[in-house]
Amino acid sequence: MDTIIHIFPYAIAFAMPLLVTSLGGLYSERSGVVNIGLEGLMVVGGFASAAFTVYLTPSLGPLAIWLSLAAAMLFGALFSLLHAFASINLNANQVISGTAINMIAGAVTVFLARTITGSGNIQLTNGIPRFDVPGLVDIPLIGKLFFYQTYGTTWLILAILALGAFVLYKTAFGLRLRACGEHPHAADA
């Protein structure tokens, strides 16, 4: 049981990027866009975040981590414009465009990492600090699994997930988005 208690926080932390990426995929699919390139966007965002963390931490300290997360979102969004351009302006197949995004992202990030560092690796020495959620960590069994040694970004992503679900299923914007994705001609009418 001790092994599970010590591994579980890491499992949750490693699942969070996949969770937020799948939320992006949900919005894409509900709006009628096939976005196979989500993995590539994760790679570009992860690279940008790591690079910004390494170069901003000496001057900005802990603030650099949060700016690095913003950089990851910005670079992922900018890289996704390639998919939008190919799909809309060039009338490319969305599946092929997404596959190309995945292939380009891996190649570009490895090239940039080798160019910047000379080795292909970006070493992070400081990361986001972990903490125990006060009061909740004392709940038997569940407290040690879910609230022991958590990251602030875990709670940020869960809040984004809740907000995303609310927007998609409880607002007029979400209704319009789903209507356009499921039957665009009916939404036009």
Side-chain angles (χ1 to χ4, degrees):
M1 190 62 179
D2 284 340
T3 305
I4 292 174
I5 288 173
H6 285 88
I7 291 174
F8 206 77
Y10 291 105
I12 290 176
F14 289 127
M16 289 301 120
L18 298 174
L19 181 65
V20 78
T21 303
S22 63
L23 181 64
L26 172 71
Y27 268 82
S28 293
E29 291 292 330
R30 288 294 188 163
S31 67
V33 175
V34 177
N35 194 354
I36 302 293
L38 292 170
E39 293 174 31
L41 302 180
M42 276 182 22
V43 168
V44 168
F47 172 78
S49 179
F52 271 69
T53 299
V54 166
Y55 292 109
L56 292 178
T57 299
S59 59
L60 298 176
L63 178 63
I65 293 171
W66 297 103
L67 290 175
S68 297
L69 289 173
M73 290 186 280
L74 176 68
F75 277 76
L78 289 175
F79 206 72
S80 70
L81 290 177
L82 291 174
H83 180 60
F85 177 75
S87 298
I88 296 170
N89 293 4
L90 303 177
N91 291 328
N93 184 314
Q94 292 178 6
V95 174
I96 294 172
S97 173
T99 303
I101 293 288
N102 285 337
M103 294 168 65
I104 291 170
V108 166
T109 54
V110 168
F111 172 76
L112 289 176
R114 286 188 177 157
T115 302
I116 292 170
T117 65
S119 69
N121 296 322
I122 296 178
Q123 297 294 325
L124 297 177
T125 54
N126 297 328
I128 297 173
R130 295 183 294 171
F131 62 93
D132 295 341
V133 178
L136 298 177
V137 74
D138 298 328
I139 299 172
L141 187 63
I142 294 173
K144 288 289 186 186
L145 291 177
F146 292 102
F147 305 111
Y148 173 73
Q149 294 296 305
T150 64
Y151 291 97
T153 52
T154 298
W155 301 105
L156 175 65
I157 290 172
L158 291 174
I160 290 170
L161 177 68
L163 179 67
F166 175 80
V167 167
L168 192 60
Y169 295 108
K170 300 293 182 188
T171 64
F173 169 77
L175 178 64
R176 290 185 192 109
L177 183 77
R178 288 182 288 130
C180 289
E182 291 175 14
H183 201 314
H185 299 298
D188 280 343

